[in-house]
Each structure stands twice: as C-alpha cells, then as structure tokens.
Amino acid sequence: MEKLLSVENISKQYNIDRKRKFYAVSNVSFHIDRGETLGLVGESGCGKTTIGKLLLKLISPTCGEICYSGENITGMSDGEFIKLREKIQMIFQDPYSSLNPRMKTGKLLKRVLMNFGKKNGVEKRIDDVLTQVGMSGSDREKFPHQFSGGQRQRIAIARALIANPEFVVLDEPTSSLDVSVQAKIMNLLSDLKEKMNITYLFISHDLSIIRMISDRIIVMYAGKILERASSEDLFNGYLHPYTEKLLNSIPEADPAKNFKFRIEMSDYGMPSSSGCPYYDRCDYRMDVCKTKFPEEKEQGKNHFVRCYKYL
C-alpha cells in the first residue's frame, strides 16, 4: 500500500527547568498508509496528543523527520506548509472549547474556506458539508451554545472536512460525549471515511472504540511505542505486558462484576528508569529492562513489540 505519512525517530523535549528535561515523545517511528485508520492508544499523558500536534506542525519536534506524501515537512516554514494545511486537519476532543462561541456555524465554516482562498460556491459547500454530518442548512445561523454536545462535535467534524482533506487527526473525538452519542459519531466518521477516502489517525485511551474503527493499532506508554499490530492481532494475540494491562482495564459489561477502570500514569508518576518506561509497573520485569530499552522485534506478520520476553 502507498504510504501517506511516515515518522522517523521523532522526539519532543520540554525543559522543566535549567537542569531537568521531559520527553513527551521519545524516538518514535511509524507510518500510515493512504486510506487506512491507524489507532494510537495509551493512558493520559503518554504523548498521544503531542504526536497529533507534531504531525500538523502545531508544535515542532526536537529531532526526527516527518514526511507527507514523500515530502519532508519537518523543516518547512509556516508559509511553505500552508499549501498542505487544507489536506491535513484535526478534530479536537472538546468541541465546545475548539469552536469560537461568538461565531455562528455558517461563519465558522466559511472562514475555513476563506483561509484557503476558496471563494466560489462557498454557500453551497457549507450546506453540503452540514448535510454530510447530519445537520441542516438552518443550523448555519446558530451559535455553538445552542447545540448539544453531539451536534457541536458534528460541526467540528464539518469544519475539518469542508476543505476536503486527505488526512485527519482525531484526538479523542468522542470522550466528552454520552455513550449513545459516541456510537452515532463513530458511525458518522466511518461513513465519511469511506465516502471521502480519508486517512485517519485516531487517538484514544479507549480500546473498545479504537478496536471498532482502526485497521492497525499503536500502543504507547510514557512517550514510547511498546507494541504495534493490526487491530485483530492486537486484541486476539497481544504481546506486551502493558497492552495486557490496558485490555484488562476495559470496564466489564456484566454489572454483577466489579468494573475495572483505566489507570492513568499520573497515579504512579512518570517512570524514572532509563530502560523500559514500563519497568516500575511490569509484572514480568528483568534486570536488563531497567537499564536498556529493548529493540523492536517482529513476532508474526507485521506484529511488532518492544519487550525482553521476546528477545
């Protein structure tokens, strides 16, 4: 398949103070094929959103390279990247905070087209995209606060799609919605992907949602990739102890059983080990895990893991 986007050894470092540094993303490499949905899963604070922002050049990497359609975008200026901006869009987690509360829906959508110099057929395009996301033309005269959470997310989706992008980063787009609304938004995203031939990077901490929409899945922890495989392989034959922990943290559907809630890294603090970042929490840890992060090992076709259990 054709690679739409490739990431090579990307890192993002923040300086806490003069002596201490924090790597939100550390030496990450992966690719996304045109037309697929790549799921990126991990706990809060693992670096998922940072990767999304790096791909859209909302922030700059400390080191590494990002290529889009074979073109290196890492060192592009804002002026050079504007040509690709309409092809790469993002849908944020909270639609209320990402929509201007003082702008009516029609103006929100029109501004996107104006920013990309699209002046012909603007009104028709606004009506068309609102219809695509299940809204009506009359909604263009309403403000964000006049909609429900699910409707606001549909408007956020319309804003991302109105310029006909090739690639969309979805940063936990359903986490702030009720379960019944989540299902409708997920079905909408799947339908739009097929109709518009869009490529998705779907970021979430919710494995049940990731499983529903993703072709392949990457599992992250503390800024590093620990496992990556097809959705089917990951759920039917996960390898890394952390992936096992994530799967076991999905709430049980049986109300007679105790619910198992996900654990956030903030409960444990950031890992201090210079080796595998999961060392302090791993039930299968070895001495070598503390001092050296393992190389990536292929276990089965296109199923990769970083764990000394498999080296």
Side-chain angles (χ1 to χ4, degrees), residues 116-167:
F116 295 127
K118 300 180 183 295
K119 299 179 180 180
N120 298 323
V122 169
E123 300 304 320
K124 184 179 185 304
R125 178 58 186 151
I126 291 173
D127 286 338
D128 288 345
V129 77
L130 285 173
T131 301
Q132 281 182 301
V133 299
M135 306 291 283
S136 67
S138 61
D139 290 324
R140 62 162 63 213
E141 297 301 320
K142 296 180 182 179
F143 291 95
H145 73 270
Q146 295 177 283
F147 297 104
S148 67
Q151 289 173 320
R152 281 195 290 266
Q153 193 60 286
R154 288 174 185 268
I155 294 169
I157 293 169
R159 183 179 60 179
L161 299 185
I162 195 168
N164 289 314
E166 296 178 332
F167 175 58

Side-chain angles (χ1 to χ4, degrees), residues 250-273:
I250 299 174
E252 297 281 354
D254 186 353
K257 297 180 180 180
N258 292 327
F259 280 93
K260 302 174 184 177
F261 294 102
R262 67 187 178 92
I263 305 167
E264 296 193 0
M265 285 186 345
S266 56
D267 297 329
Y268 287 82
M270 292 303 297
S272 58
S273 171

Side-chain angles (χ1 to χ4, degrees), residues 41-44 204-209 219-221 235 238 240-253 258-265 267-268 278 281:
V41 68
E43 300 171 16
S44 298
S204 181
H205 64 262
D206 190 329
L207 274 168
S208 59
I209 288 180
V219 178
M220 280 192 71
Y221 182 79
F235 277 86
Y238 56 83
H240 201 281
Y242 175 61
T243 308
E244 177 184 2
K245 186 79 72 175
L246 274 181
L247 288 171
N248 288 337
S249 71
I250 299 174
E252 297 281 354
N258 292 327
F259 280 93
K260 302 174 184 177
F261 294 102
R262 67 187 178 92
I263 305 167
E264 296 193 0
M265 285 186 345
D267 297 329
Y268 287 82
Y278 192 60
R281 294 170 62 182

Side-chain angles (χ1 to χ4, degrees), residues 29-258:
S29 298
F30 63 90
H31 73 276
I32 305 176
D33 292 326
R34 187 180 292 276
E36 81 164 335
T37 297
L38 178 67
L40 183 57
V41 68
E43 300 171 16
S44 298
C46 73
K48 306 186 301 296
T49 297
T50 300
I51 284 183
K53 290 179 178 179
L54 287 168
L55 298 186
L56 273 78
K57 284 185 69 66
L58 298 178
I59 56 176
S60 299
T62 304
C63 60
E65 185 176 280
I66 301 170
C67 291
Y68 184 84
S69 289
E71 189 174 4
N72 188 349
I73 65 174
T74 315
M76 281 186 178
S77 66
D78 291 341
E80 292 171 325
F81 187 69
I82 195 66
K83 300 173 184 177
L84 292 175
R85 179 67 70 189
E86 64 182 286
K87 296 181 180 181
I88 308 175
Q89 293 292 314
M90 189 167 190
I91 299 171
F92 295 91
Q93 179 176 352
D94 183 0
Y96 193 69
S97 62
S98 65
L99 299 174
N100 190 327
R102 297 185 177 183
M103 273 192 191
K104 292 180 180 180
T105 302
K107 189 173 182 180
L108 281 166
L109 298 176
K110 185 175 182 178
R111 172 168 285 190
V112 177
L113 296 175
M114 295 296 101
N115 286 343
F116 295 127
K118 300 180 183 295
K119 299 179 180 180
N120 298 323
V122 169
E123 300 304 320
K124 184 179 185 304
R125 178 58 186 151
I126 291 173
D127 286 338
D128 288 345
V129 77
L130 285 173
T131 301
Q132 281 182 301
V133 299
M135 306 291 283
S136 67
S138 61
D139 290 324
R140 62 162 63 213
E141 297 301 320
K142 296 180 182 179
F143 291 95
H145 73 270
Q146 295 177 283
F147 297 104
S148 67
Q151 289 173 320
R152 281 195 290 266
Q153 193 60 286
R154 288 174 185 268
I155 294 169
I157 293 169
R159 183 179 60 179
L161 299 185
I162 195 168
N164 289 314
E166 296 178 332
F167 175 58
V168 177
V169 176
L170 301 110
D171 186 10
E172 306 210 40
T174 62
S175 63
S176 62
L177 306 176
D178 294 337
V179 174
S180 60
V181 181
Q182 285 183 3
K184 294 177 181 178
I185 294 298
M186 292 298 293
N187 289 333
L188 172 63
L189 290 170
S190 296
D191 290 343
L192 291 170
K193 177 181 182 294
E194 295 301 321
K195 291 176 181 177
M196 301 179 68
N197 194 29
I198 306 172
T199 303
Y200 285 156
L201 173 65
F202 197 99
I203 298 170
S204 181
H205 64 262
D206 190 329
L207 274 168
S208 59
I209 288 180
I210 284 285
R211 184 178 192 178
M212 184 190 308
I213 198 170
S214 301
D215 300 305
R216 290 188 299 124
I217 298 174
I218 287 175
V219 178
M220 280 192 71
Y221 182 79
K224 295 180 181 289
I225 292 176
L226 301 185
E227 187 169 359
R228 57 189 179 99
S230 69
S231 180
E232 181 180 357
D233 285 349
L234 192 80
F235 277 86
N236 295 330
Y238 56 83
L239 299 174
H240 201 281
Y242 175 61
T243 308
E244 177 184 2
K245 186 79 72 175
L246 274 181
L247 288 171
N248 288 337
S249 71
I250 299 174
E252 297 281 354
D254 186 353
K257 297 180 180 180
N258 292 327

Side-chain angles (χ1 to χ4, degrees), residues 243-311:
T243 308
E244 177 184 2
K245 186 79 72 175
L246 274 181
L247 288 171
N248 288 337
S249 71
I250 299 174
E252 297 281 354
D254 186 353
K257 297 180 180 180
N258 292 327
F259 280 93
K260 302 174 184 177
F261 294 102
R262 67 187 178 92
I263 305 167
E264 296 193 0
M265 285 186 345
S266 56
D267 297 329
Y268 287 82
M270 292 303 297
S272 58
S273 171
S274 59
C276 177
Y278 192 60
Y279 174 82
D280 291 333
R281 294 170 62 182
C282 185
D283 297 329
Y284 309 97
R285 62 192 179 201
M286 296 177 276
D287 290 342
V288 66
C289 303
K290 190 173 184 178
T291 57
K292 185 178 180 183
F293 187 51
E295 297 292 327
E296 190 172 63
K297 173 78 172 180
E298 185 172 9
Q299 291 287 116
K301 187 177 180 181
N302 296 322
H303 192 151
F304 299 89
V305 63
R306 288 181 180 270
C307 183
Y308 281 110
K309 287 175 63 180
Y310 305 100
L311 291 178

